[in-house]
Amino acid sequence: MEAHSSSQRGDEVKEVRWGILGPGSIARTFAEAVKRVPGCSLSAVGSRSFERAADFASKHDVERPHGSYLELVNDPDVDAVYVATPHAFHCEHAILALRAGKAVLCEKPLALNARQAEAMARASREEGLFLMEAMWTRFLPAVKWVGERVRAGDWGEVKFVYADFGFRSSFDPASRLYDLRLGGGALLDVGVYPVSFATMLLGEPESVSSAAELGLSGVDESSSYLLAYANGAQALLSSSIIVATPQEARIVCERGWLRLKAPFFRSTSVEVHSGGEVEMHDFAIPGNGFEFQIEEAAARIRAGAVESSMMPHQESVAVLRTLDRIREPWGLKYPGDEASE
Ligand SMILES: NC(=O)c1ccc[n+]([C@@H]2O[C@H](COP(=O)([O-])OP(=O)(O)OC[C@H]3O[C@@H](n4cnc5c(N)ncnc54)[C@H](OP(=O)(O)O)[C@@H]3O)[C@@H](O)[C@H]2O)c1
């Protein structure tokens, strides 16, 4: 889907000038990566506090710190905004940037729920401006190769996908991981990786069953889900913020199976077991891994596209619909679920 706006016409904007909205932990990874991507620069950063913006700007060599998100999105020297606030604010902040005429790369998950993700996709289409979920894993060479080969049917149809993403953190009700108001819990923070991985390979599931261990602050600290697809395929996935898991992914097809070595979301090595043989495929990740998604976003922005075929709007919406269905039987609701967009 192509659309054009004055701020992203390919012939006018060669360099994509990025602004970071929310200078927290992941924003640092983005700041390091964006400078290594040809045709991109980091020109501004916006925080709720000018001091935090200025501190980030001085550490990461960013020209213009802004003391509010509104100032950042109205900066005429910014073409694209990287939204790096907690999940509960992705919708509000991405729409703020789109309505101000900026392209958006938004951290995962795209929103708190499917309804918010739909609203973001609508705003992107209405403004004719690019929007993509920063599901960086999809753009890495190993994951991209696996996705292409499996979808092409190299080993026949997929029968099973197994994947997990768990890590150990200490309980802290003030941290975004444990705060229900910020969309805390394992499912949205790390469960989105295996769900997005299964969606890339199999599409949206027909049925969903799940179990969760809810913690003291009400968020899911560990959760598992079984997704079943119309063609009979099944995905068995789990996530945790209280225990480290193997972080591996395996894909079982009719004529062989693949293992993405841990961590599967940053894998550099894929084992293919087929016909009694084992083949190893190695892939390099220069930099911190964020460069690939930034490259894709910048290329699509220059082309005047509103989305990327590698992480299209409706696939992010489908992932969130699945996450909504997974948590529904747990009675897990975020305060932001009730709010209008
Ligand atoms: N792709 C990845 O590998 C990866 C890894 C980690 C996290 N993430 C994603 O990135 C997003 C941010 O995660 P993070 O770990 O960077 O979080 P973080 O360190 O807590 O930073 C979030 C930033 O958002 C801003 N913010 C705005 N409203 C806030 C509020 N009410 N409470 C807390 N912060 C607020 C804060 O900046 P100011 O107050 O200064 O404006 C804060 O620095 C999440 O959606 C997460 O899923 C992605």
Side-chain angles (χ1 to χ4, degrees):
M1 193 173 191
E2 304 285 322
H4 294 276
S5 82
S6 57
S7 67
Q8 60 177 51
R9 253 181 229 124
D11 50 352
E12 284 175 20
V13 180
K14 290 205 171 52
E15 185 174 72
V16 176
R17 299 162 304 172
W18 291 88
I20 290 178
L21 191 157
S25 155
I26 203 58
R28 294 197 282 274
T29 308
F30 179 88
E32 285 163 17
V34 72
K35 293 179 191 153
R36 290 191 283 261
V37 179
C40 287
S41 62
L42 179 53
S43 71
V45 57
S47 162
R48 293 174 298 172
S49 124
F50 181 77
E51 287 67 33
R52 283 200 294 276
D55 181 54
F56 188 95
S58 75
K59 286 185 179 134
H60 296 277
D61 198 18
V62 187
E63 247 173 55
R64 286 183 315 288
H66 295 290
S68 79
Y69 298 153
L70 194 61
E71 270 177 48
L72 172 79
V73 302
N74 285 319
D75 183 333
D77 292 324
V78 168
D79 303 305
V81 169
Y82 169 64
V83 173
T85 48
H87 327 317
F89 308 113
H90 289 177
C91 178
E92 177 190 337
H93 294 149
I95 291 179
L96 183 77
L98 288 165
R99 296 295 186 209
K102 309 301 187 201
V104 170
L105 176 66
C106 179
E107 260 310 331
K108 39 59 58 173
L110 186 63
L112 207 53
N113 55 42
R115 184 183 54 80
Q116 289 189 348
E118 288 279 18
M120 294 160 79
R122 208 162 42 241
S124 156
R125 284 194 306 273
E126 283 169 6
E127 299 297 337
L129 287 165
F130 182 79
L131 167 71
M132 186 175 91
E133 178 187 357
M135 183 40 78
W136 61 293
T137 295
R138 282 200 178 197
F139 305 88
L140 300 178
V143 178
K144 202 172 155 197
W145 181 82
V146 165
E148 285 167 1
R149 301 275 41 91
V150 168
R151 283 194 308 258
D154 282 19
W155 302 280
E157 271 193 18
V158 176
K159 301 308 264 179
F160 299 109
V161 174
Y162 304 100
D164 62 274
F165 189 162
F167 70 98
R168 190 175 167 76
S169 67
S170 308
F171 180 69
D172 173 5
S175 108
R176 72 167 182 82
L177 282 181
Y178 291 90
D179 188 337
L180 209 53
R181 290 166 308 172
L182 301 183
L187 180 66
L188 289 201
D189 198 57
V190 285
V192 63
Y193 284 94
V195 170
S196 184
F197 184 68
T199 307
M200 175 182 87
L201 299 170
L202 289 162
E204 197 166 350
E206 195 172 63
S207 75
V208 170
S209 37
S210 65
E213 180 186 4
L214 301 185
L216 284 176
S217 64
V219 306
D220 67 303
E221 294 186 344
S222 289
S223 42
S224 293
Y225 6 107
L226 172 62
L227 313 181
Y229 297 83
N231 67 355
Q234 294 145 28
L236 193 53
L237 316 170
S238 45
S239 54
S240 179
I241 53 171
I242 53 169
V243 66
T245 67
Q247 301 186 346
E248 248 188 26
R250 282 164 293 149
I251 305 161
V252 180
C253 303
E254 290 170 307
R255 296 188 300 278
W257 63 276
L258 288 75
R259 173 162 50 185
L260 280 81
K261 288 209 169 163
F264 81 90
F265 47 85
R266 200 188 185 286
S267 193
T268 51
S269 180
V270 181
E271 243 176 52
V272 179
H273 297 246
S274 184
E277 310 268 311
V278 184
E279 268 177 26
M280 293 295 298
H281 296 264
D282 294 316
F283 302 84
I285 302 183
N288 63 24
F290 270 35
E291 294 82 355
F292 297 93
Q293 64 171 354
I294 298 170
E295 238 171 62
E296 167 70 5
R300 302 310 293 149
I301 289 167
R302 275 187 217 103
V306 299
E307 62 185 334
S308 158
S309 61
M310 290 179 70
M311 188 72 254
H313 296 168
Q314 282 313 313
E315 207 169 322
S316 293
V317 173
V319 166
L320 276 155
R321 248 191 322 261
T322 304
L323 300 180
D324 291 350
R325 290 167 77 193
I326 289 172
R327 69 181 163 98
E328 200 266 334
W330 311 339
L332 175 55
K333 286 199 167 75
Y334 308 109
D337 282 331
E338 307 303 331
S340 58
E341 64 185 67

